[in-house]
Amino acid sequence: MKSRTVLKLASIALIGATGVGPSFAGKLRVVATTPDLAALAREIGGAGVEVVALAKPTEDPHFVDAKPSHIVTLNRADALIEGGAELELGWLPPLMENSRNAKIAAGAPGRIVASRGVKMLEVPATFDRSKGDVHSLGNPHFMIDPVSVRVIAAEMAAHFAQVDPASAATYKANLATFNARLDVKMAEWEKQLAPFRGAKIVTYHNDFIYLAERFNLQVVATLEPKPGISPSPSHLARVIGAMKAAPARVILVQPYQNRKTAETVARQTEAVVLDIAQQPGARQNTATYFDLMDHIVATLAAAFRGQK
Ligand SMILES: [Zn+2]
């Protein structure tokens, strides 16, 4: 029923949006589900690629508001990049069904699934979506791990070259430039966080474990009892206990998460609530992947420094 409504809206949108096409002329049209994937695609695609993200920077990537305009965008795409591992399970499948575009169908060269090359963390031994857990194939928030991103960037360059062989050399060169910069930046980020080895953090959703693992931080608790499940009073009481015992005095909150809940916990644990973002563009000066990572690393380092 829901997808029928989307389809009906799609026909309306397709009529209204016919003027969009020519502005993309000559460029490879790349659609990314989320802004972080889009930012990386811009690094690898360069000037010859037009990149659009479906999710807004301030939207939860698990729960994106699916719009008829998304169907139009997907219908015209030469390539689609998704996070995979069920990150977009709640909203992408009905859009794909209605987009009717063979170029981005599963298995096509134009379909890029970021999670494929990534060494996934928290992959459960048994598959269970019954309790509402939105991480039933493992944790899909790997884009803030520069090592995973290097793998995904290579995957993007390979797929872009397949879809657009005439520009293959450009994509290869862009990848090399990106990797060289990533090496330099990674050394900077490691240096900035090195003094805080073992620092304890609390997150709203379980979305910082790749960063924690890469930079030797420790996630003590999450305000959500399970990924995608709202905090309950009994769970928060356990979190407060864990934070006092650790002790952990930093709670990370993204724009689409409930800051009030974090503030309530912070008051009882002498913690600070840190406004942070994993999506480029959600906070000031975070348009590119490198700017975003600079923001995350600098925000954390400043908070840890304040508590030393
Ligand atoms: Zn998640």
Side-chain angles (χ1 to χ4, degrees):
M1 194 60 199
K2 197 181 170 190
S3 61
R4 273 185 62 189
T5 310
V6 174
L7 179 59
K8 195 176 163 193
L9 289 166
S11 338
I12 299 163
L14 280 163
I15 294 160
T18 43
V20 173
S23 66
F24 291 94
K27 290 194 175 189
L28 192 72
R29 297 175 196 186
V30 175
V31 178
T33 54
T34 51
D36 50 358
L37 293 166
L40 187 58
R42 284 187 194 103
E43 300 281 348
I44 307 308
V49 167
E50 185 78 46
V51 185
V52 178
L54 297 179
K56 293 193 195 102
T58 49
E59 269 185 307
D60 185 333
H62 289 295
F63 304 102
V64 172
D65 190 10
K67 295 192 191 91
S69 62
H70 292 157
I71 298 171
V72 181
T73 304
L74 288 167
N75 175 261
R76 293 174 179 171
D78 296 311
L80 169 66
I81 306 160
E82 63 176 313
E86 299 199 339
L87 176 70
E88 303 95 342
L89 182 72
W91 57 279
L92 188 61
L95 292 174
M96 288 305 293
E97 203 178 297
N98 288 311
S99 69
R100 290 170 289 168
N101 181 351
K103 285 194 264 185
I104 56 168
R111 184 72 169 265
I112 302 153
V113 184
S115 63
R116 274 210 192 123
V118 172
K119 191 172 160 268
M120 298 282 292
L121 298 178
E122 297 180 338
V123 178
T126 53
F127 178 80
D128 182 16
R129 213 186 280 145
S130 64
K131 294 183 186 81
D133 187 340
V134 293
H135 290 180
S136 52
L137 288 184
N139 194 307
H141 305 286
F142 43 71
M143 286 295 287
I144 49 173
D145 169 25
V147 176
S148 297
V149 159
R150 178 183 276 270
V151 176
I152 298 160
E155 187 85 345
M156 281 186 192
H159 278 262
F160 289 174
Q162 257 188 291
V163 176
D164 177 22
S167 303
T170 305
Y171 301 134
K172 199 177 166 192
N174 291 347
L175 178 65
T177 304
F178 176 79
N179 282 339
R181 177 112 197 267
L182 193 63
D183 285 343
V184 171
K185 294 300 292 185
M186 185 63 181
E188 275 180 40
W189 297 327
E190 281 176 333
K191 197 177 164 195
Q192 276 176 276
L193 289 174
F196 312 110
R197 196 183 174 87
K200 297 177 175 74
I201 59 173
V202 171
T203 59
Y204 187 94
H205 184 70
N206 196 8
D207 45 14
F208 277 87
I209 58 159
Y210 289 86
L211 188 96
E213 170 133 328
R214 192 62 62 201
F215 295 97
N216 303 300
L217 308 175
Q218 194 190 333
V219 181
V220 169
T222 61
L223 302 191
E224 288 181 339
K226 270 178 180 292
I229 308 296
S230 295
S232 61
S234 61
H235 175 71
L236 290 180
R238 279 194 295 275
V239 169
I240 288 165
M243 285 180 72
K244 284 178 177 169
R249 295 201 181 93
V250 173
I251 307 176
L252 309 189
V253 176
Q254 298 211 53
Y256 46 84
Q257 295 165 346
N258 192 332
R259 198 181 199 280
K260 283 219 162 78
T261 304
E263 285 166 2
T264 305
V265 173
R267 270 196 296 275
Q268 296 176 62
T269 52
E270 293 171 55
V272 291
V273 177
L274 281 194
D275 291 306
I276 206 158
Q278 289 186 359
Q279 294 299 334
R283 307 270 186 219
Q284 269 198 329
N285 305 320
T286 59
T288 70
Y289 181 74
F290 294 112
D291 290 344
L292 176 86
M293 289 301 294
D294 279 344
H295 149 77
I296 292 173
V297 170
T299 303
L300 286 170
F304 297 146
R305 209 174 295 126
Q307 299 191 337
K308 265 204 151 179

